[in-house]
Each structure stands twice: as C-alpha cells, then as structure tokens.
C-alpha cells in the first residue's frame, strides 16, 4: 500500500516542484533546470531497481 502511494507521488510534477522549493528555500541549494528534469527519471529508475531486487512471493502480484 505504501509503495503504491510512493509510485503515485513520484509520478506527479507537483511533488517534484515541492521538493525543489524545499531544497532551494530551506537548504539554500540551487538546482539547474536540466537537473530538475532529470531527477524524476532518476527516481523512477531507482524504484525500478528496488522492484527488481526486492523479494516477491508470486510473479505479477503487486506489493508481493
């Protein structure tokens, strides 16, 4: 259930805009527009690695 929520959140542009605002305002970190465009793809790739490495019970079962 939590994984489904995370997948939905990382696919939304508003989530990424909010993270960039927090980083910029709260921590004083500046991220180039090119990096902002690349980070969602990196997060999706990281989720793919997680899915590939985690142990599942049956093929095709979500959250297995």
């Amino acid at each position: 259930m939590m994984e489904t929520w995370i997948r939905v959140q990382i696919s939304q542009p508003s989530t990424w805009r909010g993270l960039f605002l927090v980083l910029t305002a709260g921590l004083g970190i500046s991220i180039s527009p090119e990096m902002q465009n690349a980070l969602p793809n990196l997060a999706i790739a990281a989720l793919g690695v997680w899915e590939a490495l985690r142990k599942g019970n049956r093929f095709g079962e979500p959250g297995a």
Side-chain angles (χ1 to χ4, degrees):
M1 181 137 186
M2 183 68 160
E3 289 179 28
T4 303
W5 181 83
I6 291 171
R7 286 181 190 159
V8 169
Q9 295 305 311
I10 66 170
S11 67
Q12 296 180 13
S14 61
T15 300
W16 293 100
R17 282 192 298 270
L19 289 173
F20 295 136
L21 288 172
V22 167
L23 287 173
T24 301
L27 303 176
I29 297 172
S30 180
I31 300 174
S32 70
E34 293 83 14
M35 182 64 94
Q36 290 179 16
N37 291 332
L39 283 176
N41 292 333
L42 179 62
I44 292 169
L47 184 61
V49 169
W50 167 256
E51 288 293 322
L53 296 177
R54 74 184 178 95
K55 185 174 182 177
N57 292 334
R58 290 189 209 132
F59 183 75
E61 257 187 25

